[in-house]
Amino acid sequence: MTASLASPPPPSSAVVALPGRRRIGGLSLAAALVALCVALPIVSVATNMLSTGTGDTWGHLAATVLPEYIGATLWLCAGVGTLAALVGVGAAWLVTHFDFPLRRSFEWALVLPLAMPAYVMAYAYTDLLQFAGPLQGWLRATMGWTRADYWFPDVRTLGGAVVMFTFVLYPYVFMLARSAFMERGVAVMEAGRSLGLSPWQSFLRVSLPMARPAVAAGVALVLMETLADYGTVSYFAVQTFTTGIYRVWFSLGDRVAAAQLAMCLLGFVVLLLALERQSRGAARFHGGGLRRQPTRGAPLSGWRAALAVALCALPIGIGFLLPAGVLLHMAVTEGDAQFGSRFWTLAGHSVMVSGLTAALAVALALLVAYARRLEPRPLTRAAHWAAGLGYALPGSVIAVGLLIPLARLDNALAQWLQASFGWQTGLLFTGTVAALVFACLVRFMTAALQTVDSALYRVTPHMDDAARSLGLSPSRTLRRVHLPLMRRGLLTAGLLVFIDVMKELPATLVMRPFNFDTLATQAYTLASDERLAEASTATIAIVVVGLLPLIVLCRQIASERR
């Protein structure tokens, strides 16, 4: 649920340089080590891409399915990016510039679909819309139709995947566009009125161009989440690079071909980041001299107010209320035969992995952020930048990039222990939860780093000066001064990472130890076997846990109007 691509550069007043320090300190080296661990998957994938495979797998892929992977991925990105921008920007414009019934409720309710993972939404709509589902069954019973008497769209297609991703991920665009509209709300409306523009003309000619960098950043986030998804595209049989990586890795057993596909997927991500950065660089708008709070908005009444309410309620209903209702109905009426000890075991696995990852992510993010604050040299700045790269890496790329070097390390260590001491240790890394935690840490450390940065920036540098004048070392200053002031920010960072790991599917499917399932993998496995009712309990648990950070986020959104 990270809401930006990279942490904003700290203000100059937030950097505290220790006088007289010229050599590289231990804190800087530790931050650089963290950055190297995050960059390990990229290095591994790039290295193995140049290796020689066990066969002509890549040639076979290029001649058969690679064009389909490229075409499906491009169409998926084009459809999701366009629709998410339309829904997100339209909803943000309505709740920012107009006043109509339930507007204040829509301001926070439009964020709720973020709690619904795309693959969970896909399971719910498949059960609702399939031929044996309740909707088509009701139509046949009511109208007296047979299968040959009517046509009904198939949700498990590329178009269905586009709709699923759109109504789950549009809140990224909504939040960033709404923030951009609010920053310049009063000035834009006054300027538009002075020029004789209608609200629609003011939106197209003034508001939208000024919000373009924020909209581009939101769309880039949406597309990166789309490229990283595996559960939805696999369940809908959409052949993208992500499904191809898993097929080559598990079915063909060719790590080199899997690394080559992973590098192609990473190329898509790099292209998205480059386009987003170019968009931001081409259009810079500063609102420092504008009034922050927007006006109440133009009042709407009659059919216009009803239309605004319907347009805002539609994405909430499609993206959250309807799928949540379907899952809840399945859990209550049909039940989950595995609910009980099995469910609590899966929940325990999910909580354990999420808790360990969250604790490590907060600790390492604090180390990297504090190192840049104390020693603002190129090494710590580069380490801070590299430590935030993980969010741009799809889970499948991280899994491939970590499994290859960890497997080699496991084999070398096992051979050495066997030869030196006669110990048969087996797999020490790839066969344990450590590898899974490592992968999730690389993937979601960005969320923790951005939140910790924000909390650390709010601590004035004068606090550091006062602590040094009292003879406190940097470590004691962190423990006795910064940590008490950053307690709320650290808790928020840990919560965000915890929720993201609970929902993570691609990396978990590959990196988990044998016979180690989580709520996410259990839901995917049961849904793949068309046992949607049994998957409902696990999916509802994931959604409920995902609501926790959204409650905090919605409270912040509501407070912005006060």
Side-chain angles (χ1 to χ4, degrees), residues 18-58:
L18 294 181
R21 179 166 296 199
R22 292 292 182 266
R23 64 185 180 85
I24 298 177
L27 199 60
S28 296
L29 292 177
L33 180 61
V34 172
L36 287 175
C37 291
V38 174
L40 178 61
I42 299 179
V43 176
S44 174
V45 169
T47 302
N48 282 274
M49 184 179 177
L50 303 177
S51 303
T52 303
T54 57
D56 192 25
T57 305
W58 178 253

Side-chain angles (χ1 to χ4, degrees), residues 184-531:
R184 305 166 182 90
V186 174
V188 167
M189 294 179 69
E190 291 177 351
R193 281 197 298 265
S194 68
L195 295 174
L197 300 179
S198 66
W200 177 248
Q201 291 173 326
S202 179
F203 168 72
L204 289 179
R205 300 175 60 180
V206 183
S207 297
L208 186 59
M210 295 183 71
R212 189 179 65 184
V215 174
V219 171
L221 280 170
V222 168
L223 294 182
M224 283 195 296
E225 289 289 344
T226 302
L227 290 173
D229 180 87
Y230 173 72
T232 305
V233 292
S234 174
Y235 188 63
F236 281 6
V238 178
Q239 303 303 317
T240 64
F241 277 106
T242 306
T243 57
I245 291 171
Y246 283 87
R247 183 176 293 109
V248 171
W249 183 277
F250 290 108
S251 300
L252 302 180
D254 193 330
R255 60 176 177 82
V256 175
Q260 291 168 340
L261 284 177
M263 205 63 186
C264 293
L265 178 57
L266 189 59
F268 271 91
V269 174
V270 171
L271 178 62
L272 289 176
L273 292 175
L275 292 175
E276 186 273 337
R277 185 170 295 275
Q278 181 183 12
S279 176
R280 284 191 295 149
R284 297 178 182 269
F285 302 99
H286 303 283
L290 303 177
R291 282 175 281 173
R292 175 66 176 85
Q293 289 293 335
T295 61
R296 189 183 177 195
L300 298 179
S301 60
W303 68 269
R304 291 183 176 86
L307 180 60
V309 171
L311 290 176
C312 290
L314 184 65
I316 301 172
I318 296 177
F320 182 77
L321 295 179
L322 188 56
V326 170
L327 294 174
L328 187 60
H329 180 267
M330 284 193 295
V332 172
T333 57
E334 301 181 48
D336 184 356
Q338 298 191 10
F339 184 77
S341 59
R342 172 65 174 169
F343 172 80
W344 295 114
T345 299
L346 297 173
H349 290 168
S350 296
V351 170
M352 178 182 66
V353 174
S354 301
L356 286 174
T357 305
L360 287 173
V362 172
L364 295 178
L366 182 60
L367 184 152
V368 173
Y370 197 55
R372 189 178 67 165
R373 180 182 178 97
L374 291 184
E375 303 174 7
R377 51 168 53 96
L379 177 62
T380 54
R381 294 192 184 99
H384 186 280
W385 173 80
L389 286 177
Y391 188 73
L393 302 178
S396 54
V397 175
I398 293 175
V400 172
L402 288 182
L403 267 182
I404 295 174
L406 288 180
R408 290 175 177 172
L409 178 61
D410 263 340
N411 291 329
L413 186 59
Q415 292 175 3
W416 179 77
L417 291 175
Q418 173 70 23
S420 302
F421 305 100
W423 297 347
Q424 295 182 356
T425 58
L427 299 177
L428 297 177
F429 298 103
T430 54
T432 66
V433 180
L436 175 57
V437 173
F438 188 10
C440 293
L441 185 64
V442 172
R443 176 80 169 91
F444 298 113
M445 187 176 166
T446 307
L449 186 60
Q450 290 178 350
T451 310
V452 170
D453 273 337
S454 178
L456 192 59
Y457 294 160
R458 289 194 291 268
V459 180
T460 173
H462 298 302
M463 292 284 191
D464 301 78
D465 298 334
R468 285 202 306 272
S469 68
L470 295 174
L472 295 182
S473 63
S475 60
R476 294 179 65 189
T477 301
L478 175 64
R479 185 174 64 255
R480 299 179 60 179
V481 178
H482 294 94
L483 289 182
L485 297 173
M486 299 171 59
R487 182 172 60 248
R488 181 175 298 180
L490 297 178
L491 181 62
T492 302
L495 182 62
L496 289 175
V497 176
F498 184 91
I499 303 307
D500 280 333
V501 177
M502 284 283 292
K503 298 189 296 183
E504 172 62 21
L505 180 63
T508 308
L509 281 174
V510 178
M511 304 298 293
R512 62 190 169 122
F514 177 75
N515 202 27
F516 185 91
D517 289 318
T518 64
L519 292 174
T521 60
Q522 178 75 352
Y524 170 76
T525 301
L526 293 175
S528 299
D529 294 337
E530 301 300 332
R531 298 157 65 185

